[in-house]
Amino acid sequence: MSDLLSQDEIDALLRGMSESSSSQDLTVTDQDKDVLGEIGNISMGTAATTLSILLNQKVNITTPVVSVLRWDELPREFPVPYVAIKVVYKEGLDGVNLLILKKEDVEIIADLMMGGTGKIEFTEELSDLQLSAIQEAMNQMVGSASTSLSSMLNLKIDISPPEAFVIDFARNAEEMIPELKKADKIVKVAFRMTIGDLIDSQIMQLIPVDFAKQLVNAMLNNTLGAAAEEKKEPLSSHQPSGTSERPQKDESAKKKMVTSSQSYQPRREEKSERVYNVSPVQFESFDEEEERRYPENIELILDVPLEITVELGRTQKLVREILEFSTGSIIELDKLAGEPVDILVNGKVIAKGEVVVIDENFGVRITDIVNPTNRL
């Protein structure tokens, strides 16, 4: 009988590892912490790039520190109210984790999101607008991190839109995050985060132990599967039926694969602290250049129809105000009488003009072309 592992034996080995992992207790070992740290390291590296572009600031997120807490230790670990962003995985992985930020950091990020400088006076309570801003920032960050995680684990991963709220672990934690209360033990992954010269703080992940083990097992199974694919070699077609040779390299490959199925050892030299230096891309401006010539092949698109819209003005109303509309209601717009109207082509403003009457129809006379350099 051949000593090479068949595909059925490899599949059985993978299933056996998965079953033994699911039946074991939920103890987080040092090896699990290494794997979780590596997952967080790569995911947050991508998220830092996204946040840097959103805020137009240099963002650094360092290598994480992984620890395990009990549920009753959370109020002591987080004594003041924090802002939590709840992320629910609904495809590929089944679980939830929590991003935790300090309230002051959220106020600065929200101000930067809304075009401010980030140098603000802190308030006692966060407004709905600030929570919406941080929710959008975290939505972008978590989305890019999930994409990295999907590539890392070779899984299709889908998440629900993140939900942001203020949490006090001594008062309303059980109500806000019942998933963590059920887990009893929680894995804390803490990253140091700096944003320009405005923030030097921490961003933390809280992960239920069962979900943390699910991440570890997915990482190990993906690693083992890749190793099995590399080591699997078909039998030579000229080898006689019923006989088998045992080359030394096949025996070595078998031992190496079985060893890799028993444990996953991250490379120790990669545990040194890694800092991601991220800064926004600076693009060259063409606004001051002379108007460029039309491309020689522009005739190819001259017959493409475009929708032209003339916008008299805009305004915003609350739902209650819109429900009060009736015949004869007057809506005040954001433009003064006689002010030029906007001329849009496929939704983009390209010119301004004045309203005229042609026979019995309305028309618009163009009075100004907006940014002629960028019309192409």
Side-chain angles (χ1 to χ4, degrees):
M1 181 179 294
S2 173
D3 286 335
L4 291 174
L5 290 180
S6 67
Q7 183 60 47
D8 291 339
E9 291 172 325
I10 292 174
D11 293 340
L13 186 61
L14 292 173
R15 287 196 302 271
M17 178 182 174
S18 177
E19 291 170 0
S20 63
S21 298
S22 61
S23 61
Q24 67 183 359
D25 61 5
L26 297 178
T27 302
V28 179
T29 65
D30 290 339
Q31 173 185 297
D32 295 337
K33 292 180 181 179
D34 289 338
V35 177
L36 290 170
E38 188 64 20
I39 292 174
N41 205 18
I42 298 174
S43 299
M44 278 299 178
T46 307
T49 304
T50 302
L51 187 61
S52 175
I53 296 172
L54 281 176
L55 305 183
N56 196 28
Q57 292 280 337
K58 183 178 179 180
V59 177
N60 293 334
I61 297 181
T62 62
T63 303
V65 177
V66 183
S67 58
V68 180
L69 301 171
R70 294 193 312 272
W71 173 263
D72 55 11
E73 292 177 325
L74 291 178
R76 185 172 66 252
E77 187 75 15
F78 305 100
V80 296
Y82 281 73
V83 175
I85 296 89
K86 184 177 179 181
V87 182
V88 178
Y89 292 82
K90 59 182 183 180
E91 184 177 351
L93 297 169
D94 182 17
V96 60
N97 71 1
L98 216 63
L99 286 173
I100 303 292
L101 296 106
K102 293 181 179 178
K103 174 179 165 296
E104 293 79 7
D105 299 340
V106 169
E107 291 189 72
I108 294 174
I109 293 174
D111 185 67
L112 292 172
M113 284 282 291
M114 294 183 286
T117 62
K119 298 179 180 179
I120 59 175
E121 294 184 3
F122 299 115
T123 59
E124 292 185 3
E125 295 185 2
L126 291 174
S127 66
D128 291 340
L129 186 59
Q130 289 172 318
L131 284 176
S132 296
I134 193 62
Q135 184 167 296
E136 178 59 27
M138 293 300 107
N139 188 24
Q140 299 289 335
M141 283 184 63
V142 172
S144 57
S146 296
T147 301
S148 294
L149 188 61
S150 178
S151 300
M152 197 186 324
L153 303 182
N154 197 24
L155 286 173
K156 180 183 178 182
I157 295 177
D158 191 15
I159 61 173
S160 299
E163 176 188 358
F165 50 86
V166 178
I167 187 169
D168 187 338
F169 285 92
R171 296 182 180 180
N172 65 346
E174 185 172 351
E175 175 187 351
M176 303 299 292
I177 45 172
E179 297 88 350
L180 267 67
K181 176 64 170 68
K182 294 177 183 177
D184 189 43
K185 285 187 177 181
I186 297 100
V187 176
K188 171 189 170 186
V189 187
F191 305 82
R192 182 186 174 193
M193 178 180 68
T194 61
I195 300 178
D197 59 353
L198 300 171
I199 293 178
D200 187 351
S201 184
Q202 281 190 329
I203 179 171
M204 293 158 283
Q205 280 183 306
L206 297 183
I207 312 173
V209 169
D210 56 347
F211 184 49
K213 296 293 286 189
Q214 186 183 155
L215 289 172
V216 171
N217 291 336
M219 185 72 167
L220 296 181
N221 287 338
N222 185 53
T223 303
L224 178 60
E229 286 297 324
E230 291 178 1
K231 299 305 179 185
K232 184 176 62 177
E233 295 181 7
L235 291 173
S236 300
S237 58
H238 62 273
Q239 188 172 349
S241 176
T243 64
S244 172
E245 298 179 0
R246 186 170 58 184
Q248 187 65 29
K249 63 177 183 178
D250 293 333
E251 181 68 21
S252 174
K254 175 183 173 183
K255 290 181 179 179
K256 188 173 182 180
M257 185 176 62
V258 172
T259 301
S260 67
S261 70
Q262 295 172 349
S263 64
Y264 170 84
Q265 298 293 337
R267 295 190 295 271
R268 294 296 173 183
E269 61 270 17
E270 292 183 355
K271 288 207 63 178
S272 58
E273 183 170 335
R274 185 186 308 168
V275 178
Y276 294 93
N277 294 317
V278 183
S279 57
V281 179
Q282 300 294 330
F283 296 101
E284 182 181 359
S285 173
F286 297 98
D287 289 343
E288 297 179 359
E289 291 186 359
E290 296 181 358
E291 185 172 355
R292 286 169 283 178
R293 297 167 55 189
Y294 292 110
E296 295 180 358
N297 58 351
I298 196 171
E299 291 82 4
L300 297 174
I301 62 171
L302 289 180
D303 293 330
V304 174
L306 300 176
E307 181 179 341
I308 298 179
T309 306
V310 177
E311 185 176 280
L312 182 62
R314 297 189 181 192
T315 189
Q316 288 186 339
K317 295 290 184 183
L318 301 176
V319 173
R320 71 170 67 93
E321 294 175 313
I322 295 176
L323 293 176
E324 294 174 356
F325 284 172
S326 61
T327 304
S329 297
I330 296 177
I331 302 175
E332 184 178 353
L333 303 179
D334 59 354
K335 288 194 176 183
L336 300 175
E339 191 174 351
V341 296
D342 293 330
I343 302 172
L344 300 88
V345 175
N346 279 14
K348 302 293 184 182
V349 178
I350 66 145
K352 294 185 179 295
E354 58 182 6
V355 179
V356 297
V357 177
I358 305 173
D359 294 332
E360 296 180 354
N361 298 323
F362 283 112
V364 175
R365 178 186 292 116
I366 295 177
T367 58
D368 182 34
I369 299 293
V370 178
N371 241 345
T373 307
N374 293 333
R375 274 184 296 166
L376 292 181

